[in-house]
Amino acid sequence: MEIEEASRGESGHVVCGSWIRRPKKVNWAIIARAAKRRGSSSPALLNIFSFDPITTSLSSSPLATHELKESDGDPVAISVHPGGDYFVCSTSKGGCKLFEIVVGATCTTILAKELPPLQSAGLQKCMAFSFDGSKLATGGVDGCLRIMEWPNLNVILDEPKAHKSIRDMDFSLDSEFLATTSTDGSARIWKAEDGFPLSTLERSGDENIELCRFSKDGTKPFLFCAALRGEIPVVNVYDISTWKKLGFKKLSRKSASTMAVSLDGKYIALGGKDGDISVAEVKTMEIYHYSKRLHLGQTIASLEFCPSERVMLTTSSEWGEMVTKLTVPKEWKEWQIYALLFCLFMASVVLAYVFFENSDSFWKLPMGKDQRRPKISLFGGSSTTPAEDHKKWNLDL
């Protein structure tokens, strides 16, 4: 496991981070930093770094940087649009900021834009774009849930009493449902199309649901929820057709502070309050990767799978951002599968040719003294010339 920390001492501590999907399987990472107010002060920053899959590391210098105004406060959470051209950042002094990533011929720029419905919405603890990029949801510390269409920002739902205080949220793979959790341990399901409340997830008396993520492989319609049963951390699994609990699994020693599911839906990860991360295979719910004290003694603030690599981006206030290569089984790449199929096809052609050339000796058929193998035409009919056929007909007479 190779780990790369990209902390920069001249700026404030890292608040959160997220991957940015670019064309041709290129991945960038956006890292949000709080303002540094002690000693030599510095503003809050939004930095975009390139990612090198060969070295499993972020670039030493950012591709683009944006300074937040002092009136905005520090960044709190970031949500990147699936298209990779926009992201939304919530700030500590209330409201959200919209940014566009403009890629030029020689440089990349972070361009601030207006976001009227959320400019004075108050402190937003979490945000999420739908999988198809058509909706944006935000959850406030005041318990208000908002769902908006993207990019026209028409308000679908503005529910001030959705929860006591919203802690986490996630859209389903088909963008039909939105799951939200509260600081009081409850969790609710909403219809994303019109904001209708569908269900409140069942839980035992001593159980508090904290985090939620939908499965993303397209075949297993599940909702995973990290919960605490008394002092025992578990991951509950719910059937999204009935919203009934199917079971639970213990994947970490301590309660999770953040949760993620890989883009292909094969792995689920938990970031702990003690700095550990656990990665389990969804199919078996068995742990395949475990990093103990990755962020030593610090709560992991954000955790996210790389869109195209088995790599994890994690952040904490003390240790900054880290990129970790996961020790999970290697998978066949698309070109390797085609190469294997081509080799199998060529091998079958060679075997067929060898079999045909040696068919007589293979079957041990008796041959006459002057018997020869008949000539076979690939286009059907006799392989002899008309003159040969006429001579043979005269001899027969």
Side-chain angles (χ1 to χ4, degrees):
M1 176 183 64
E2 299 294 333
I3 301 172
E4 184 267 344
E5 182 183 351
S7 298
R8 279 79 179 170
E10 67 273 10
S11 57
H13 67 270
V14 171
V15 177
C16 59
S18 181
W19 292 105
I20 301 174
R21 278 183 282 172
R22 302 299 301 169
K24 299 180 180 179
K25 294 187 177 181
V26 173
N27 298 295
W28 294 347
I30 180 166
I31 305 298
R33 290 179 172 272
K36 186 177 181 181
R37 298 179 176 87
R38 295 181 181 180
S40 57
S41 62
S42 63
L45 299 176
L46 301 173
N47 292 324
I48 294 178
F49 297 92
S50 62
F51 170 71
D52 186 350
I54 298 176
T55 60
T56 317
S57 61
L58 301 180
S59 57
S60 57
S61 58
L63 297 174
T65 298
H66 180 84
E67 295 183 2
L68 292 178
K69 298 177 181 178
E70 188 175 352
S71 59
D72 295 330
D74 292 331
V76 174
I78 286 177
S79 182
V80 180
H81 189 269
D85 294 323
Y86 296 91
F87 67 91
V88 178
C89 176
S90 63
T91 60
S92 60
K93 291 190 177 180
C96 297
K97 304 293 180 181
L98 172 63
F99 297 94
E100 182 181 3
I101 303 172
V102 181
V103 180
T106 59
C107 64
T108 301
T109 306
I110 302 175
L111 182 63
K113 304 179 77 68
E114 296 294 325
L115 192 61
L118 297 173
Q119 283 183 343
S120 58
L123 180 58
Q124 303 300 298
K125 179 67 185 304
C126 53
M127 302 174 295
F129 279 100
S130 61
F131 200 80
D132 61 3
S134 65
K135 298 176 183 63
L136 170 66
T138 64
V141 295
D142 58 357
C144 181
L145 173 65
R146 295 175 176 86
I147 304 177
M148 290 163 287
E149 295 178 349
W150 184 269
N152 56 36
L153 299 177
N154 291 333
V155 177
I156 297 174
L157 175 68
D158 189 342
E159 176 52 64
K161 297 182 180 180
H163 287 287
K164 179 180 179 180
S165 181
I166 298 177
R167 178 170 183 171
D168 195 21
M169 62 171 51
D170 191 40
F171 278 98
S172 61
L173 179 64
D174 58 5
S175 304
E176 184 177 356
F177 305 112
L178 175 70
T180 58
T181 66
S182 172
T183 54
D184 63 8
S186 63
R188 302 182 70 180
I189 307 298
W190 310 80
K191 186 80 170 177
E193 190 67 29
D194 54 13
F196 183 78
L198 292 175
S199 177
T200 298
L201 297 183
E202 61 177 286
R203 56 185 177 127
S204 57
D206 62 342
E207 188 174 61
N208 289 319
I209 300 174
E210 298 181 324
L211 307 170
C212 59
R213 290 293 181 272
F214 281 95
S215 59
K216 289 182 171 60
D217 66 350
T219 60
K220 303 177 180 63
F222 299 143
L223 172 65
F224 303 103
C225 290
L228 274 178
R229 285 189 162 190
E231 299 296 326
I232 303 175
V234 296
V235 175
N236 294 333
V237 183
Y238 296 86
D239 185 344
I240 70 172
S241 62
T242 62
W243 305 113
K244 298 296 183 182
K245 186 189 299 184
L246 299 176
F248 66 92
K249 182 77 173 183
K250 189 178 187 306
L251 297 178
S252 59
R253 298 183 303 172
K254 294 186 178 180
S255 61
S257 57
T258 182
M259 187 179 187
V261 173
S262 62
L263 196 62
D264 59 6
K266 292 185 177 181
Y267 294 97
I268 182 173
L270 297 174
K273 295 179 180 179
D274 55 357
D276 297 357
I277 65 169
S278 303
V279 180
E281 185 186 39
V282 170
K283 184 178 180 179
T284 61
M285 291 300 283
E286 297 293 334
I287 294 177
Y288 272 57
H289 176 97
Y290 178 69
S291 292
K292 185 177 183 181
R293 298 178 182 177
L294 181 65
H295 292 257
L296 181 60
Q298 290 291 314
T299 297
I300 294 181
S302 63
L303 169 146
E304 190 174 330
F305 285 93
C306 179
S308 60
E309 305 287 336
R310 294 304 183 200
V311 172
M312 187 76 69
L313 174 66
T314 55
T315 65
S316 67
S317 59
E318 179 68 23
W319 301 103
E321 68 271 22
M322 292 186 181
V323 177
T324 307
K325 187 174 183 179
L326 302 179
T327 54
V328 297
K330 292 184 178 181
E331 299 171 345
W332 286 79
K333 296 185 180 295
E334 187 176 356
W335 69 268
Q336 292 174 322
I337 297 175
Y338 284 121
L340 176 61
L341 293 175
F342 177 76
C343 291
L344 292 175
F345 171 74
M346 293 303 298
S348 63
V349 171
V350 171
L351 288 175
Y353 176 77
V354 172
F355 174 77
F356 176 75
E357 287 295 319
N358 298 277
S359 58
D360 291 340
S361 59
F362 177 81
W363 292 109
K364 306 295 183 182
L365 294 176
M367 302 289 289
K369 182 178 180 180
D370 297 325
Q371 187 174 355
R372 292 179 298 174
R373 183 194 300 272
K375 294 181 180 181
I376 301 175
S377 173
L378 295 177
F379 302 98
S382 174
S383 61
T384 60
T385 64
E388 291 175 335
D389 290 338
H390 178 71
K391 182 179 179 180
K392 182 178 180 296
W393 182 75
N394 289 332
L395 291 176
D396 289 341
L397 290 178

